[in-house]
Amino acid sequence: AQTVTQSQPEMSVQEAETVTLSCTYDTSESDYYLFWYKQPPSRQMILVIRQEAYKQQNATENRFSVNFQKAAKSFSLKISDSQLGDAAMYFCAYRPNSGYALNFGKGTSLLVTP
Amino acid sequence: NAGVTQTPKFRVLKTGQSMTLLCAQDMNHEYMYWYRQDPGMGLRLIHYSVGEGTTAKGEVPDGYNVSRLKKQNFLLGLESAAPSQTSVYFCASRTGSNPLHFGNGTRLTVT
């Protein structure tokens, strides 16, 4: 079974600073997808960023970027120039190309302080 | 486009009662999913469907049943609710290799 581990239950960052959220996963597959989802207090699940395992280039979406280390099975999320609106629960998720289900980590709660 | 719509948004049940959660999507997605979210546990997959008329078990299927009679709808049933089923339930759908689209969740409390 594939598992996704987020080792930081809570993180804190000051506004305008940079923070990195960690995620590791366990798989024997070579082709898969990785995602970061954001869940603000509204409870909505919002896709932040997506990475295909066959792509060596790290995905970037504005202030959000990932550090994808396939050999180490690591997929960290970097948030630059943090804003108060970034405060949320962040979930890392994995899906093999051969499978249907998305497996989630337990989440990291990000607090952004002024 | 409404996306993924979950009904109801909130519900309180007594132990032993039954209920059905409805998920509807208007994006013609093939795949649909039911997850539950509990504090400190992330999202765990209950059941999923890869097409009309098909369903499959996820990680935590016990106590739940599902049906997908129409492509756009995915129903989650609790036949005899238990306090352990108190949770927030999310429906999601996707097509091809695209990411999941989520509904806004249903908060269920079983007393």
Side-chain angles (χ1 to χ4, degrees):
Chain A
Q2 297 96 358
T3 58
V4 178
T5 302
Q6 295 179 246
S7 58
Q8 307 150 316
E10 294 178 351
M11 292 283 285
S12 181
V13 64
Q14 276 195 314
E15 226 177 336
E17 297 296 307
T18 295
V19 65
T20 299
L21 308 184
S22 301
C23 174
T24 59
Y25 56 95
D26 181 28
T27 184
S28 57
E29 303 278 340
S30 60
D31 194 10
Y32 49 86
Y33 301 90
L34 294 162
F35 306 87
W36 278 99
Y37 279 88
K38 169 185 177 181
Q39 187 181 41
S42 67
R43 204 169 69 193
Q44 241 186 323
M45 290 289 288
I46 302 165
L47 177 68
V48 175
I49 203 163
R50 160 189 171 163
Q51 175 82 42
E52 290 92 341
Y54 65 86
K55 290 186 178 177
Q56 292 187 339
Q57 188 171 7
N58 290 323
T60 300
E61 288 287 342
N62 300 314
R63 297 182 295 107
F64 298 88
S65 61
V66 297
N67 183 4
F68 173 47
Q69 302 287 329
K70 191 172 184 179
K73 296 179 184 175
S74 171
F75 183 60
S76 60
L77 175 70
K78 185 170 86 171
I79 306 174
S80 303
D81 185 26
S82 296
Q83 301 175 0
L84 294 177
D86 294 334
M89 196 73 157
Y90 286 82
F91 291 99
C92 178
Y94 160 95
R95 182 176 71 79
N97 191 35
S98 61
Y100 300 109
L102 197 62
N103 296 299
F104 286 85
K106 294 183 178 181
T108 296
S109 178
L110 179 66
L111 175 68
V112 181
T113 57
Chain B
N1 260 5
V4 179
T5 302
Q6 290 184 231
T7 310
K9 291 183 172 52
F10 304 93
R11 184 73 187 266
V12 178
L13 285 180
K14 293 187 177 178
T15 298
Q17 287 185 319
S18 63
M19 78 162 293
T20 300
L21 280 66
L22 171 63
C23 177
Q25 52 95 3
D26 61 0
M27 298 172 285
N28 202 34
H29 286 176
E30 312 92 272
Y31 309 112
M32 296 188 74
Y33 305 82
W34 277 107
Y35 286 89
R36 61 177 288 173
Q37 182 180 17
D38 303 291
M41 298 296 291
L43 278 79
R44 293 181 292 169
L45 183 65
I46 305 171
H47 287 279
Y48 64 98
S49 168
V50 301
E52 183 179 319
T54 73
T55 62
K57 293 180 180 180
E59 180 187 354
V60 288
D62 293 342
Y64 306 94
N65 56 76
V66 287
S67 65
R68 190 149 178 222
L69 299 179
K70 293 182 179 181
K71 187 176 184 179
Q72 64 266 35
N73 295 336
F74 195 30
L75 278 62
L76 178 71
L78 286 72
E79 289 185 350
S80 179
S84 61
Q85 294 177 304
T86 293
S87 188
V88 177
Y89 292 86
F90 284 96
C91 177
S93 70
R94 70 174 174 92
T95 183
S97 63
N98 291 324
L100 291 182
H101 290 252
F102 282 87
N104 288 333
T106 296
R107 180 174 294 280
L108 174 66
T109 302
V110 183
T111 61

